[in-house]
Amino acid sequence: MTADIQSQDNTRDLKPAIVNGLRMRCPKCGKGKLLHSYVKVNDHCSACQQPFHHQRADDGPAYLTILIVGHLMGFALHITWVQWRPEPWVLATTMSVVAVVGALVLLPRMKGLMIAYQWAKRMHGF
């Protein structure tokens, strides 16, 4: 019985942690900044002092970003070509700019999401 109580006390809510991670905030308190200098992780939260130095996001955020942007760009390319038939150079330039901007916007959010998931699941020392 004490093991059940102890495991219930150690649970962390996944949904609020992920929302905070996508906002690039501390998954624990939601107040402190998770990242500095675009995708560098702070050593700890400035509000609640939660340590982040042991997170292991590695290449995961890049893979998630490519997966999401690639799928969205595939649909956008198809819809644009079928609806408007722009010149190939216009289509290539426009889609390239949209893909680069999309990836740059999404990458830090995917890093926050992965760190928040690790925190909620108590992975890698969290």
Side-chain angles (χ1 to χ4, degrees):
M1 173 125 172
T2 56
D4 291 334
I5 294 170
Q6 194 174 29
S7 67
Q8 288 175 354
D9 291 340
N10 290 333
T11 59
R12 295 176 177 168
D13 290 331
L14 182 62
K15 188 176 178 180
I18 287 178
V19 169
N20 287 334
L22 287 171
R23 292 176 47 229
M24 297 179 293
R25 297 290 178 186
C26 173
K28 183 177 179 182
C29 70
K31 295 178 182 160
K33 288 186 178 182
L34 187 59
L35 305 173
H36 69 89
S37 181
Y38 189 56
V39 290
K40 292 196 185 249
V41 181
N42 287 327
D43 289 333
H44 61 278
C45 175
S46 58
C48 69
Q49 303 305 313
Q50 170 69 42
F52 299 128
H53 61 84
H54 43 266
Q55 62 80 26
R56 298 279 314 241
D58 298 332
D59 292 335
Y63 291 132
L64 285 175
T65 300
I66 291 168
L67 180 74
I68 293 169
V69 171
H71 280 82
L72 292 176
M73 292 309 298
F75 289 121
L77 179 64
H78 175 72
I79 291 168
T80 303
W81 181 255
V82 168
Q83 292 293 323
W84 296 291
R85 297 278 175 164
E87 291 292 321
W89 68 271
V90 172
L91 184 64
T93 304
T94 304
M95 291 297 155
S96 296
V97 169
V98 170
V100 168
V101 169
L104 290 174
V105 168
L106 203 54
L107 184 61
R109 284 151 183 81
M110 291 298 104
K111 187 144 188 176
L113 173 116
M114 291 206 62
I115 293 169
Y117 183 82
Q118 290 174 7
W119 177 83
K121 295 296 182 178
R122 296 186 182 275
M123 299 168 70
H124 308 295
F126 274 112

